[in-house]
């Protein structure tokens, strides 16, 4: 018999309450008039024509020879691929919210840029022009990530818009932290010409392999009424635990999982809507001690390690029905010079509240009666038209055997102030954006395979990856991002950054940082944007200087050079995925 009905009742009560905000002042939110009006449908206007224009990657009037050759080789996105992503058609009533949602929908496609939807009214009719520009999506991948204490190098090829049909295929080979790897990904956003999405990923490494396949009909906008999903995954890999950036324990983990569900959406999408998901989930984790072959598969000598059977995690198996409650209040902004130079990003400053839960009893195959849950609340605040904050609080865990396990609490905040063009002594010094990231999280009564870590690639740039490990993390990142020149030669954008990082990970208590001290660094960086590439990728080169000796041997004042892709942090929060149905399978840096 279950012993946690009172806990379940509390979770369901929280779902019904659907906390509207964090309790902070709402007066700072500036609401978009076309999205927040009482009605966005104009029944006096009927859409008479919808015209699609797909522009070349290099769409100048007289492109140079090399650009003409690139346009000739590149297969442009088919007009039908753009049209099928629109949420309106000829004969529909004009709806400003639906037009705005369609533009956001198109901007999520990494193989398109410069999305414009314009209208021309004539009496009771309106003609819609949808203009998009293709980007270069076929890349020979040659990537190198170094300076973080862990080396990764990859070669391969990726095509993000196969034959102009919006399908993605990637094949990569390389080496990652001493492990050789081969990776293949295929993603079809419109499987067999339907509204369904099919994704497949297979990853082979010297220490094992993993595969994942997903199939479903995801939400593409707030106006969609229903969605469904299935996902199955299997892996057999070596897991590692770290201390002072070095591996101090390894084990083998086998995982099998399956999940599926159906979601129904209720409410007015331009004001507030609720999504309810009913499904089923199964996950099995089996752990075993590593043998000598496991050590050698990741480039380690087994003679350097002692047997530690007490550190091996207990097997886990959860099987049972799932339920998700999600409430969304839309207040979208579209802003440039945030994370991707001049490419716009769509962010919701409205409230988003989500509760995920699963009842996993032994009668359905679980190892013990369990209740799993995850609760998240997101709120945005617009200070002025170019300055905003996004906040998220959340908790997760499971209740079993009259106690909580894997109990986590987290707080995250993102701050952006788009300052615009700045001048020094009359000279232009770039478009500047102040960006900030704050994270605090704690975990209690955790499984043996759980470990927070912090280092060069995820927060403290002057220290090796995984220098700091434990169960409680504090992190603050501040950047002044300067965008000097956009679209140089129609190929690259040039920018830079001055940054400050501060944080630490601790094992004793949530507020150990105030007792043991924090670690910090300052530095300067170079940013190279690829505006006409899939997703508007950014190459990041940072020179970071530690302000305190590190546990990894880093010395105060000794600089560290990092070369990698993507910003250290971006404006999105951890629960920003459109829904549980959104697949997240990627082999390379192209989204």
């Amino acid at each position: 018999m279950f012993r946690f009905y009172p806990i379940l009742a509390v979770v369901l009560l929280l779902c019904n309450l659907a906390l509207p905000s964090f309790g902070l002042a709402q007066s700072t939110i500036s609401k978009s008039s076309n999205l927040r009006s009482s009605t966005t449908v104009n029944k006096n206007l009927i859409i008479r024509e919808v015209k699609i224009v797909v522009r070349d990657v290099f769409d100048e009037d007289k492109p140079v020879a090399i650009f003409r050759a690139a346009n000739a080789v590149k297969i442009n996105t088919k007009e039908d691929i753009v049209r099928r992503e629109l949420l309106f058609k000829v004969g529909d009533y004009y709806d400003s919210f639906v037009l705005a949602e369609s533009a956001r929908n198109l901007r999520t496609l990494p193989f398109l840029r410069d999305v414009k939807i314009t209208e021309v009214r004539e009496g009771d009719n309106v003609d819609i022009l949808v203009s998009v520009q293709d980007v270069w999506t076929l890349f020979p991948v040659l990537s190198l990530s170094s300076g973080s204490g862990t080396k990764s190098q990859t070669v391969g090829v990726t095509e993000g818009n196969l034959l102009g049909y919006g399908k993605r295929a990637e094949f990569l080979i390389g080496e990652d932290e001493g492990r050789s790897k081969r990776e293949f990904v295929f993603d079809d956003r419109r499987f067999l010409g339907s509204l369904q999405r099919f994704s497949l990923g297979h990853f082979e490494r010297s220490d094992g392999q993993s595969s994942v396949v997903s199939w479903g009909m995801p939400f593409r906008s707030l106006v969609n009424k229903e969605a469904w999903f299935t996902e199955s995954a299997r892996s057999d890999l070596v897991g590692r635990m770290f201390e002072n950036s070095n591996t101090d324990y390894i084990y083998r983990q086998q995982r099998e999982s399956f999940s599926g569900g159906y979601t129904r959406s209720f409410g007015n999408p331009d004001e507030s809507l609720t999504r309810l998901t009913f499904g089923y989930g199964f996950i099995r984790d089996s752990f075993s001690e590593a043998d000598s072959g496991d050590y050698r598969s990741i480039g380690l000598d087994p003679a350097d390690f002692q047997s530690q059977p007490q550190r091996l995690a207990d097997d886990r198996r959860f099987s049972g029905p799932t339920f998700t409650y999600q409430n969304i209040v839309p207040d979208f902004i579209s802003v440039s010079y945030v994370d991707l130079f001049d490419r716009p990003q769509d962010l919701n400053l409205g409230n988003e509240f989500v509760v995920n839960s699963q009842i996993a009893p032994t009668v359905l195959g679980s190892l013990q009666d369990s209740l799993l849950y995850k609760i998240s609340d997101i709120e945005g605040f617009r200070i002025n038209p170019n300055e905003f904050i996004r906040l998220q609080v959340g908790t997760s865990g499971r209740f079993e055997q009259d106690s909580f396990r894997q109990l986590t609490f987290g707080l995250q905040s993102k701050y952006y102030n788009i300052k615009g063009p700045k001048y020094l002594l009359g000279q232009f010094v770039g478009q500047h954006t102040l960006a900030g990231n704050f994270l605090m999280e704690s975990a209690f009564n955790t499984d043996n395979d759980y470990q927070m870590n912090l280092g060069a690639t995820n927060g403290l740039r002057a220290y090796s990856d995984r220098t700091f490990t434990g169960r409680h993390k504090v992190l603050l990142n501040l950047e002044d991002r300067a965008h000097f020149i956009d679209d140089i030669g129609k190929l690259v954008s040039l920018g830079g950054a001055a940054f400050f990082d501060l944080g630490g990970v601790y094992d004793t208590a949530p507020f150990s940082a105030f007792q043991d001290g924090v670690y910090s660094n300052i530095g300067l960086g170079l940013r190279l944007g690829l505006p006409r590439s899939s997703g508007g990728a950014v190459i990041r080169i940072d020179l970071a200087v530690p302000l305190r000796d590190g546990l990894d041997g880093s010395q105060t004042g000794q600089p560290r050079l990092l070369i990698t892709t993507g910003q250290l942090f971006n404006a999105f929060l951890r629960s920003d995925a459109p829904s549980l149905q959104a697949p997240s399978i990627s082999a390379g840096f192209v989204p």
Side-chain angles (χ1 to χ4, degrees), residues 280 282-283 316-320 360-368:
Y280 197 92
F282 170 85
I283 185 169
R316 301 186 292 266
R317 185 168 68 239
F318 306 105
S319 178
T362 55
V363 295
L364 293 179
S366 302
L367 292 182
Q368 49 194 326

Side-chain angles (χ1 to χ4, degrees), residues 112 120 235 249 363-364 384 452 510 515 536:
L112 297 177
V120 177
S235 65
Y249 177 68
V363 295
L364 293 179
N384 62 53
M452 294 182 189
Q515 303 171 5

Side-chain angles (χ1 to χ4, degrees), residues 70 73 127 138 145 154 165 223 340 369 383 421 426 445 448 517 538 554:
V73 172
D127 298 330
L138 176 62
S145 179
T154 302
Y165 287 101
V223 302
L340 301 174
D369 293 336
I383 302 172
N445 200 17
N448 282 359
V538 174
S554 299

Side-chain angles (χ1 to χ4, degrees), residues 168 185-191 195-203 211-218 228-234 257-261 579-586:
R168 177 167 61 96
V185 167
F186 176 77
D187 180 25
D188 188 348
R189 296 172 180 267
R190 293 284 190 168
F191 186 51
L195 296 174
Q196 300 167 18
R197 184 170 188 171
F198 176 81
S199 300
L200 172 67
H202 182 68
F203 313 89
S211 298
V212 58
V213 58
S214 67
W215 177 36
M217 186 177 71
W228 58 272
F229 73 100
T230 60
E231 182 170 297
S232 178
R234 185 170 184 170
S257 66
F258 170 81
S259 60
S579 69
L580 296 177
Q581 292 84 338
S584 56
I585 304 173
S586 180

Side-chain angles (χ1 to χ4, degrees), residues 432-448:
H432 282 253
T433 297
L434 300 181
N437 172 59
F438 176 76
L439 174 66
M440 178 181 288
E441 52 187 352
S442 289
F444 304 89
N445 200 17
T446 59
D447 300 318
N448 282 359

Side-chain angles (χ1 to χ4, degrees), residues 134-307:
D134 258 331
V135 299
W136 194 260
T137 55
L138 176 62
F139 285 95
V141 176
L142 178 59
S143 67
L144 172 67
S145 179
S146 65
S148 62
T150 56
K151 292 184 178 180
S152 175
Q153 50 192 2
T154 302
V155 296
V157 62
T158 174
E159 170 56 79
N161 189 9
L162 193 62
L163 300 177
Y165 287 101
K167 308 178 193 301
R168 177 167 61 96
E170 300 179 12
F171 177 73
L172 305 174
I173 60 175
E175 185 175 339
D176 183 19
E177 298 186 66
R179 298 171 294 195
S180 61
K181 63 180 182 179
R182 293 190 301 272
E183 305 176 350
F184 170 77
V185 167
F186 176 77
D187 180 25
D188 188 348
R189 296 172 180 267
R190 293 284 190 168
F191 186 51
L192 299 177
S194 69
L195 296 174
Q196 300 167 18
R197 184 170 188 171
F198 176 81
S199 300
L200 172 67
H202 182 68
F203 313 89
E204 291 188 2
R205 300 191 319 207
S206 55
D207 63 325
Q209 63 181 12
S210 65
S211 298
V212 58
V213 58
S214 67
W215 177 36
M217 186 177 71
F219 284 111
R220 284 181 164 81
S221 79
L222 297 179
V223 302
N224 294 142
K225 291 297 184 182
E226 60 181 357
W228 58 272
F229 73 100
T230 60
E231 182 170 297
S232 178
R234 185 170 184 170
S235 65
D236 183 357
L237 297 168
V238 170
R240 302 198 284 183
M241 306 293 283
F242 296 86
E243 183 176 2
N244 300 341
S245 79
N246 297 313
T247 301
D248 76 331
Y249 177 68
I250 77 166
Y251 54 90
R252 179 159 289 276
Q253 178 179 3
Q254 295 177 319
R255 165 171 285 195
E256 294 178 346
S257 66
F258 170 81
S259 60
Y262 172 81
T263 304
R264 187 71 183 177
S265 181
F266 306 89
N268 190 341
D270 68 321
E271 295 180 356
S272 175
L273 60 83
T274 297
R275 290 173 176 171
L276 301 179
T277 302
F278 299 90
Y280 197 92
F282 170 85
I283 185 169
R284 179 186 66 84
D285 286 310
S286 299
F287 301 89
S288 59
E289 291 192 65
D291 58 28
S292 59
D294 292 330
Y295 283 94
R296 284 190 285 269
S297 70
I298 58 175
L300 298 177
D301 185 350
D304 295 335
F305 296 84
Q306 296 181 347
S307 176

